[in-house]
Amino acid sequence: MTYGVEETLTAICFIVMTAVLVSASVQDIRSREVSDIHWAVIGITGTAALILTSFVDITLERIMICAGSAMIIFDILHDREWPLRYDIPFYALMVLLFAVPMMTSFDDIFVRDSAAIPLCYIIFLAMFFSGVIKGGADAKCLISLAVIFPAYPLMFGYPMISVPSSLVSVILSFPIAVMFLASVLSVLAMLPMILRNITRGDTKIPNMFLGHRMDAVRAEKAHVWPMNAAETSAGTAADADGKIWVTPKIPFIVPITAAALFVTFIGNLLFLL
């Protein structure tokens, strides 16, 4: 059995993505910090794949998409501190590189699928700055996934759930599906903690659903966030027993990895509706 170039390229991207996510998961579990090199590898691989794919039928619009994607990866990885006068043209150019192809060549399947890249970039950054996504590494991970797989990876008969050819597959793109499933898995991981709070009588709402009580001194060295901003030092705003409410720093890269594998092989469950 022989496979096409695009399918082989997809398989290579999948192998790179999986290897990097597993490495990042291990690092996240150990230290709750993940090196940016992981997202650089995924982002560069994704950008290279976009360039190679665009060469099949090269157009100016496809080149602009590739350039815009490279700028997104640069943006999330480079901690620059340059003046605002540099930011304005940078982001203006990024918008232009995506807006022109979307307005002029949206019927091109390459351009249409690539619409998920700027869409996910905006959504995940907004979620990070609003506090919905806690870790910067989590947001960078999801954005890099949008670059390497803006469309669902189709290879060797997977995913098992068919991907619709309509615009819904762009709106509910691969990285969006991964993010939603990873969030569900994270919530499920919190259930034992909620049950433990109930058995201990720690039933303060909404705290009991978001975290647990911990000794204030231990909390300083544990992988947790104090729920109250004032609880940043031992004993500050602690209860009579010296405990404070904390939210665990869940290594979100782990459920992202599990979700990415599930969506790759099984597919987006919402497509069954």
Side-chain angles (χ1 to χ4, degrees):
M1 180 179 295
T2 58
Y3 300 104
V5 175
E6 288 192 19
E7 198 169 25
T8 302
L9 184 60
T10 298
I12 293 173
C13 287
F14 169 74
I15 292 172
V16 171
M17 178 194 73
T18 303
V20 172
L21 286 179
V22 169
S23 172
S25 294
V26 172
Q27 196 172 35
D28 201 15
I29 292 172
R30 289 177 175 174
S31 64
R32 298 303 190 276
E33 293 183 359
V34 182
S35 170
D36 279 353
I37 188 64
H38 294 88
W39 323 132
V41 171
I42 291 180
I44 292 172
T45 301
T47 303
L50 285 172
I51 294 171
L52 291 174
T53 303
S54 68
F55 280 168
V56 175
D57 183 15
I58 192 167
T59 64
L60 176 61
E61 289 79 7
R62 292 187 173 197
I63 293 174
M64 294 176 73
I65 291 289
C66 295
S69 300
M71 290 185 70
I72 283 179
I73 294 301
F74 174 82
D75 185 48
I76 65 173
L77 296 178
H78 183 55
D79 296 326
R80 59 190 184 279
E81 295 183 359
W82 57 34
L84 180 61
R85 66 178 181 272
Y86 296 141
D87 272 333
I88 293 176
F90 179 86
Y91 290 113
L93 176 59
M94 186 190 295
V95 169
L96 185 68
L97 289 173
F98 284 107
V100 172
M102 300 304 165
M103 290 188 296
T104 62
S105 304
F106 198 70
D107 56 338
D108 180 348
I109 190 170
F110 178 93
V111 173
R112 189 189 67 190
D113 287 345
S114 299
I117 299 175
L119 179 63
C120 290
Y121 170 72
I122 294 171
I123 290 174
F124 296 142
L125 278 187
M127 293 177 71
F128 171 69
F129 286 115
S130 65
V132 176
I133 294 178
K134 291 288 187 180
D138 303 333
K140 292 176 181 179
C141 175
L142 290 167
I143 292 171
S144 68
L145 290 184
V147 173
I148 197 169
F149 284 130
Y152 286 82
L154 305 177
M155 56 180 186
F156 317 136
Y158 295 105
M160 297 173 65
I161 299 174
S162 298
V163 178
S165 57
S166 61
L167 190 59
V168 69
S169 63
V170 176
I171 298 173
L172 298 178
S173 59
F174 177 79
I176 294 293
V178 169
M179 186 271 294
F180 275 121
L181 182 55
S183 299
V184 171
L185 293 176
S186 295
V187 171
L188 292 177
M190 298 282 277
L191 289 179
M193 179 197 69
I194 296 173
L195 293 175
R196 187 166 60 248
N197 285 338
I198 294 174
T199 59
R200 291 177 177 176
D202 295 333
T203 54
K204 182 179 179 181
I205 298 176
N207 295 28
M208 64 174 290
F209 300 109
L210 303 175
H212 58 92
R213 294 172 71 243
M214 174 182 283
D215 182 80
V217 175
R218 282 205 312 122
E220 287 190 321
K221 298 181 180 180
H223 294 304
V224 296
W225 285 293
M227 286 192 187
N228 188 324
E231 297 171 348
T232 55
S233 60
T236 302
D239 295 334
D241 58 0
K243 293 184 177 181
I244 61 174
W245 281 96
V246 297
T247 298
K249 292 181 179 178
I250 297 176
F252 195 50
I253 303 299
V254 176
I256 286 178
T257 301
L261 294 175
F262 183 93
V263 175
T264 296
F265 291 108
I266 305 300
N268 189 339
L269 295 177
L270 293 178
F271 292 157
L272 294 176
L273 300 179

